[in-house]
Amino acid sequence: MEQRATTHHVHKLSFILLILSLAFPSSSFELRSSVADSTFLHRNDTAISYFRVLNRRALFQCPDLNPYLQINVTTQGDLSDEQFITVNVSGVLVPSDGDWVAMVSPSFSNVTTCLGSEAYYIQTGDTSILPLLCHYPVKAKYVTSDPSYLSCKNQKCQKYGNNGDCEVRTCAGSLSFHVVNIRTNIEFVFFAGGFSTPCILTKTDVPLKFSNPNSPLHGHLSSIDSTATSMRLTWVSGDKEPQQVQYGDGKSQTSEVTTFSAADMCSEFRLGSIVVPSPAKDFGWHDPGYIHTAVMLGLQPSSTFNYKYGSDAVGWSAEIQFRTPPAGGSDELKFLVFGDMGKAPLDSSAEHYIQAPKLVHEHHKKSLYDVGLADGEAVPCEISSAEHILKCKMRVVPKKPGSISVIKGMTEEVENGNVDSIFHIGDISYATGFLVEWDYFLNLITPLASKVSYMTAIGNHERDYSDSGSWYTGPDSGGECGVPYETYFPMPTPAKDKPWYSIEQGSVHFTVISTEHDWTEKSEQYEWMKTDMASVDRPKTPWLVFTGHRPMYSSLGADDQFLETVEPLLLNNKVDLVLFGHVHNYERTCSIYNSECLAMPEKDKNGIDTYDNTNYTAPVQAIVGMAGFSLDKFPDDAPNWSLVRISEFGYVRAHATKDELKLEFVNSDTKNVDDSFIITKK
């Protein structure tokens, strides 16, 4: 059997490669070097994976006449709002490490070739001229994720000879996929040829549908002002009719309903004279359903209430307990702050933006990077260096992806009552034009954001796009241009596409800016910053915290113009603490101005760095962009103003009283406090 199977495998691959070489003699199945180094098209992006440019690959129906091949899904009835399902591939004559399964939605999407549309897809980073995969899969997994697949442990005899011997045996594999309610039907497609030379083998016969596409889901809270007597609840549903939030002691509010369409996405990315549609407008588009929002009135600060949301027509959420933050001017605030979290799959599948677990060599404890491994799984890697993934054949011990471990750690903090509010300062979901990923992100943060105020700032991966009005050019938002972000996360901003605001909680005044909009002198945002910080009542809220996405100081470099323009406002208004993300690590400065240390912290009796702001000198600045997406290494030589540098996943836990502001960097893998510092006013 093994000899016959090998011959069949070689003939099949030879036939595929012959067809592809005849059809596209100059095409390459490797990423071009210009694409691998595509700093122009993918500024601040991660490595470009083969899955990410899947829709730029030649795609054919595999020349495989295997009559036994099947793919089916093990599930009881229609899909629930969230579940793990098992996808079974069976009847495989020759298992290959290039076999993979994709989840596609909606199920009527075209997964065959799209000839004549090559120019539309340049923003995947691959500029080769090939037929296209018309619709981008939501996620995918190699069948080798089932360790029994290649060894064919699950054999089945398909044909017996006259003498009773088995003449044809086939192999099978099973994969687990995490599915959340994305309102549209889904199907699973079985491919051969890996991500670089995909061809379709077969797909599920009947699309899977969700039992209630209109379910009210992903409720998350935010503050609307500094009184803490009102809270906004935002949720997603497949139904456009208004729904309700019921809360407290018999109170209710009716939702306002909105949505956005592909027409709202940006498409003015220009390649010479050609206007190229964005991923958000084209192959990355997925219908978001309807976004509901309602404001719960008549609350009390620092108090606990219950709520549920939905309607009798579409159903109701579970009852959830939440806590209001302290009102501005009160004595104490406990908050979490971080940036650049995104989300990772709970099923180790590949997605558009790869956020993989941190891997450690079992023997040498050397840090590695890989994609799609289950805990403890040993898989030989053979992946292009363009993906910045090491070639390996070794036993590895993966940790959880950053966002998963960070969410787990913060959820424990919330459940223990240690959190009044959360600030996520930019690079929120990393959907970047692949809209279905917002659903998965909202699902991930629900344990946090449904229970305390979840405040956000906009980042480059939410807003930036060429000719869209963003301050920085480049396609970092994939054409979203802030539309999904502002719809899912309505903050108390002045107006649409002016995502800056301030809010007071406890003893802290937060000034939250958009680094992605014009912040130069005489701009609207500059004038707002100037007015907002000058108006702070310091006896009421003694701590002034300034925050946004892109940093002023980083040992990896920052925008000098931003520093020169905005930093004087910080000094003039005696800002105590500046928090930024964008750079994917944790870094803390001295009391800094104009790249010089005007004051240094001193150790208190517990050995904690303490900055005395009784006699104010300059702000302390910290980068907190280590919440999950990836980790940036530090240079060998750091500036003298950089006091602490940590490249580990985690979040910052803060505790503010009238006299003291204490921050701790919590390593989400070890749960240890890897850095802490205090700012005091006596």
Side-chain angles (χ1 to χ4, degrees):
M1 176 202 165
E2 290 182 3
Q3 183 177 2
R4 181 164 58 245
T6 302
T7 302
H8 173 83
H9 183 52
V10 171
H11 286 169
K12 181 172 77 172
L13 289 180
S14 298
F15 186 62
I16 294 172
L17 293 174
L18 176 62
I19 291 175
L20 295 177
S21 63
L22 290 175
F24 307 101
S26 62
S27 65
S28 169
F29 301 125
E30 299 296 321
L31 293 179
R32 294 183 177 185
S33 59
S34 61
V35 175
D37 301 325
S38 58
T39 54
F40 172 71
L41 287 176
H42 293 280
R43 194 172 302 171
N44 300 314
D45 289 0
T46 61
I48 299 173
S49 70
Y50 278 118
F51 184 74
R52 186 171 178 185
V53 294
L54 184 64
N55 59 334
R56 296 291 300 133
R57 299 301 173 198
L59 185 68
F60 299 92
Q61 192 74 30
C62 300
D64 190 333
L65 303 179
N66 178 358
Y68 311 112
L69 198 60
Q70 289 185 342
I71 180 171
N72 60 73
V73 178
T74 302
T75 182
Q76 298 293 325
D78 294 335
L79 299 172
S80 63
D81 292 334
E82 180 182 12
Q83 68 180 94
F84 285 85
I85 63 174
T86 301
V87 178
N88 304 297
V89 173
S90 61
V92 180
L93 290 170
V94 185
S96 168
D97 57 8
D99 295 343
W100 57 284
V101 172
M103 173 181 160
V104 177
S105 176
S107 62
F108 53 78
S109 298
N110 186 355
V111 290
T112 58
T113 54
C114 300
L115 296 171
S117 302
E118 291 87 352
Y120 290 1
Y121 292 78
I122 191 170
Q123 287 162 93
T124 61
D126 190 344
T127 57
S128 56
I129 300 175
L130 296 172
L132 310 168
L133 185 63
C134 302
H135 195 86
Y136 202 92
V138 174
K139 55 174 62 185
K141 262 190 167 184
Y142 278 97
V143 191
T144 51
S145 296
D146 181 342
S148 68
Y149 182 64
L150 288 180
S151 61
C152 200
K153 290 183 179 179
N154 299 321
Q155 292 186 3
K156 181 179 180 180
C157 185
Q158 300 286 0
K159 182 180 179 181
Y160 291 93
N162 294 331
N163 60 358
D165 294 336
C166 183
E167 294 184 350
V168 179
R169 289 187 175 89
T170 58
C171 310
S174 295
L175 305 174
S176 177
F177 281 88
H178 176 232
V179 178
V180 301
N181 190 342
I182 52 177
R183 298 165 299 282
T184 54
N185 292 351
I186 62 176
E187 69 178 358
F188 290 89
V189 183
F190 184 26
F191 290 87
F195 295 161
S196 58
T197 58
C199 64
I200 297 174
L201 288 166
T202 188
K203 61 182 182 178
T204 45
D205 294 331
V206 179
L208 284 77
K209 63 180 181 178
F210 291 94
S211 59
N212 183 5
N214 295 328
S215 283
L217 298 169
H218 315 318
H220 51 283
L221 299 162
S222 60
S223 298
I224 67 169
D225 58 31
S226 302
T227 67
T229 58
S230 303
M231 291 285 282
R232 182 183 299 278
L233 178 69
T234 304
W235 68 94
V236 180
S237 172
D239 186 58
K240 65 181 180 181
E241 296 301 320
Q243 298 171 20
Q244 287 187 324
V245 55
Q246 297 181 352
Y247 65 99
D249 193 13
K251 297 178 181 179
S252 68
Q253 294 290 334
T254 301
S255 68
E256 296 180 359
V257 188
T258 188
T259 189
F260 53 89
S261 68
D264 297 315
M265 303 295 102
C266 290
S267 63
E268 296 298 318
F269 185 89
R270 295 184 179 273
L271 183 67
S273 61
I274 302 174
V275 178
V276 184
S278 68
K281 205 175 186 74
D282 199 7
F283 57 88
W285 172 255
H286 189 275
D287 192 310
Y290 297 91
I291 294 85
H292 295 250
T293 182
V295 176
M296 293 182 280
L297 304 172
L299 306 175
Q300 295 297 319
S302 302
S303 301
T304 300
F305 300 89
N306 289 351
Y307 71 90
K308 64 178 181 179
Y309 55 94
S311 70
D312 291 339
V314 302
W316 293 88
S317 72
E319 191 168 67
I320 302 165
Q321 186 177 87
F322 76 102
R323 180 176 175 81
T324 54
S330 56
D331 290 340
E332 187 177 19
L333 173 69
K334 297 177 181 179
F335 66 96
L336 305 179
V337 61
F338 55 89
D340 306 80
M341 184 171 69
K343 58 102 187 74
L346 300 181
D347 54 15
S348 301
S349 61
E351 297 180 333
H352 160 62
Y353 246 86
I354 292 177
Q355 186 180 113
K358 181 178 179 182
L359 303 180
V360 179
H361 190 282
E362 188 176 45
H363 303 294
H364 303 294
K365 305 302 181 186
K366 184 178 180 180
S367 180
L368 303 172
Y369 183 84
D370 206 335
V371 177
L373 294 180
D375 286 348
E377 183 179 354
V379 177
C381 311
E382 191 172 336
I383 306 174
S384 166
S385 60
E387 298 184 63
H388 302 170
I389 296 175
L390 300 177
K391 291 184 177 180
C392 59
K393 266 189 178 179
M394 56 187 70
R395 173 76 180 180
V396 294
V397 181
K399 298 180 180 180
K400 291 183 181 298
S403 61
I404 303 298
S405 65
V406 167
I407 284 287
K408 181 179 179 182
M410 293 193 297
T411 299
E412 291 175 359
E413 302 263 12
V414 170
E415 290 176 346
N416 291 334
N418 295 330
V419 180
D420 296 315
S421 63
I422 294 173
F423 288 82
H424 186 165
I425 53 174
D427 286 4
I428 307 297
S429 74
Y430 287 88
T432 62
F434 295 79
L435 277 301
V436 73
E437 299 198 14
W438 278 106
D439 287 285
Y440 274 94
F441 173 78
L442 292 170
N443 175 265
L444 183 69
I445 67 168
T446 294
L448 301 169
S450 64
K451 297 179 180 179
V452 296
S453 176
Y454 196 95
M455 307 302 290
T456 58
I458 200 167
N460 54 299
H461 286 296
E462 284 76 58
R463 183 60 183 84
D464 294 1
Y465 205 73
S466 177
D467 297 328
S468 71
S470 57
W471 180 249
Y472 296 96
T473 59
D476 291 358
S477 77
E480 292 186 6
C481 299
V483 174
Y485 162 75
E486 290 195 46
T487 308
Y488 288 123
F489 292 96
M491 295 290 113
T493 59
K496 183 178 180 180
D497 202 29
K498 296 180 181 180
W500 50 83
Y501 64 94
S502 65
I503 196 161
E504 293 179 346
Q505 295 178 348
S507 55
V508 183
H509 179 101
F510 294 92
T511 298
V512 183
I513 73 160
S514 168
T515 57
E516 311 314 302
H517 290 73
D518 189 355
W519 34 254
T520 58
E521 289 188 61
K522 298 183 180 179
S523 69
E524 180 180 355
Q525 184 176 200
Y526 182 91
E527 291 300 321
W528 174 86
M529 285 188 279
K530 185 176 179 181
T531 300
D532 177 72
M533 289 188 284
S535 66
V536 178
D537 183 351
R538 299 305 282 264
K540 177 185 176 185
T541 50
W543 302 110
L544 177 50
V545 175
F546 183 91
T547 187
H549 185 58
R550 294 176 187 256
M552 292 182 179
Y553 291 98
S554 167
S555 58
L556 293 173
D559 185 342
D560 291 339
Q561 185 185 2
F562 178 50
L563 175 69
E564 293 169 4
T565 302
V566 179
E567 189 181 32
L569 289 178
L570 309 182
L571 191 71
N572 292 342
N573 290 285
K574 296 185 177 181
V575 169
D576 297 288
L577 177 65
V578 181
L579 299 171
F580 290 117
H582 192 61
V583 180
H584 297 169
N585 53 36
Y586 173 87
E587 187 168 19
R588 171 165 62 87
T589 73
C590 56
S591 297
I592 188 171
Y593 183 73
N594 197 25
S595 300
E596 295 184 3
C597 290
L598 301 190
M600 296 291 288
E602 296 182 357
K603 301 289 186 183
D604 70 1
K605 62 182 180 181
N606 297 315
I608 299 174
D609 278 359
T610 302
Y611 301 80
D612 187 354
N613 274 17
T614 304
N615 297 312
Y616 181 83
T617 55
V620 180
Q621 301 216 14
I623 292 173
V624 293
M626 66 290 126
F629 188 73
S630 64
L631 291 172
D632 292 334
K633 293 182 179 180
F634 289 98
D636 294 333
D637 296 322
N640 58 8
W641 46 256
S642 177
L643 303 187
V644 178
R645 296 173 300 280
I646 301 172
S647 186
E648 295 287 345
F649 292 123
Y651 55 93
V652 168
R653 179 171 59 206
H655 183 195
T657 64
K658 292 283 188 179
D659 301 323
E660 180 179 286
L661 177 59
K662 182 177 182 180
L663 286 89
E664 298 175 319
F665 168 60
V666 180
N667 184 315
S668 60
D669 285 329
T670 65
K671 305 298 175 64
N672 295 332
V673 175
D674 287 357
D675 181 50
S676 60
F677 65 97
I678 298 171
I679 306 174
T680 63
K681 290 182 180 179
K682 299 176 182 177

